[in-house]
Amino acid sequence: MHFRTTTTFALSVALLIFSPLDFVTSASTSRSITRAVLSEEQDEGVGARVRRSIGRPELRNHDPFLMLDEFNIDNNGGFPDHPHRGFETVTYMLEGQFQHEDFAGHKGVIGPGDLQWMTAGRGIVHSEMPVKSNTRAHGLQLWINLPKEHKMCEPQYQELLDQEIPRAQPEEGIVVKVMAGKSYGVESKVYTRTPTMFLDFKMAPHKVAEQTIPADYTGFIYMLSGTTFIGGNNDGENGVFEGKAHHTLTFSEDGKDTVRIETREEPAHFVFIAGQPLHEPIVQHGPFVMNTNEEIYETVFDFRNAVNGFERADQWRSSIE
């Protein structure tokens, strides 16, 4: 009897001292950052320099993502004729222009703010080179794994000019370009065989954004410039991680459906990338990504013998320089 009375009294005191808001803010409401990896420059392609994010040794794969490169290429560099099979490449231009041509007859140019979403599927051979009249081409290329059922689909392109990409502006000083997925009620028209979010955030100083994310998605932020403070509870203090330029910041996988992002003294520009894991085996051999070693052997055979999706591979050469 004495125990019950004491417990009831203590509970009454607690209810007087703590409001419901205190109980909400006592625990983190945002996913946290589990790892921060600096993307250092390295050589890639022919005369190209890239900062590799996903795909470097510390972040070999981040299911469903295989690679993210921030490329910076002058007129002497680029990515001449090369094949792909089994995944998608997403090219997002920040500065300059990139020209593209493949062995199926597709050819075009994307410029600042434009997006090209290429599904390599069963096979493509293409060339990606900067337009010579520009001093440099600066952008991002993301590789997204395809589920087994789509790895041998027909190649496809989805291309959006900058003005065709929808924006969310939850308040003055926060602009989100929605390349894939949804942000603040604004949804992309891009079809993703692997459910994916690809968002470009620009935030002025002293702003807070709260981006929702499906509970089962993995994801990360890649910082382009500025500084962000990610995670924490509603008062923005506990469990906050500071993110710097050219770092990849991976999200915790704790089932929470929000990522809290804050700026303080300086603006920030970053991409928010997340997707539904495939939970399938990954066997990668350079530009080919399949589920088994046998499928990789078959892919190499198909490419070398120009069959089963690579019929034009032995005769075609790109015309762009």
Side-chain angles (χ1 to χ4, degrees), residues 12-136:
S12 300
V13 172
L15 290 174
L16 288 173
I17 295 174
F18 298 108
S19 70
L21 182 59
D22 292 316
F23 287 107
V24 171
T25 59
S26 62
S28 174
T29 59
S30 167
R31 291 204 195 187
S32 58
I33 298 301
T34 60
R35 179 180 290 187
V37 177
L38 174 63
S39 297
E40 298 178 350
E41 282 196 324
Q42 65 183 60
D43 293 327
E44 191 70 21
V46 176
R49 298 285 289 173
V50 305
R51 290 182 181 271
R52 179 147 299 165
S53 163
I54 305 301
R56 61 184 298 110
E58 305 95 320
L59 295 168
R60 177 59 180 164
N61 290 302
H62 195 58
D63 189 14
F65 305 107
L66 303 165
M67 190 193 80
L68 176 68
D69 279 354
E70 178 185 359
F71 59 84
N72 210 330
I73 308 169
D74 63 21
N75 290 338
N76 299 315
F79 305 99
D81 303 3
H82 59 280
H84 292 298
R85 174 182 277 182
F87 61 98
E88 298 182 301
T89 69
V90 181
T91 305
Y92 177 47
M93 292 303 298
L94 299 169
E95 300 174 75
Q97 292 179 302
F98 228 36
Q99 51 188 333
H100 168 274
E101 183 182 11
D102 70 27
F103 71 176
H106 185 275
K107 188 174 182 179
V109 174
I110 55 174
D114 296 346
L115 178 77
Q116 181 195 75
W117 199 291
M118 185 187 81
T119 304
R122 66 198 303 256
I124 202 79
V125 177
H126 71 163
S127 177
E128 300 164 291
M129 304 291 287
V131 173
K132 295 298 184 183
S133 59
N134 289 271
T135 56
R136 68 169 184 158

Side-chain angles (χ1 to χ4, degrees), residues 254-276:
D254 50 17
K256 293 177 180 177
D257 62 1
T258 303
V259 179
R260 184 185 189 278
I261 308 156
E262 178 185 355
T263 55
R264 294 182 183 173
E265 301 305 319
E266 60 179 328
H269 183 196
F270 57 90
V271 289
F272 181 114
I273 297 172
Q276 188 175 66

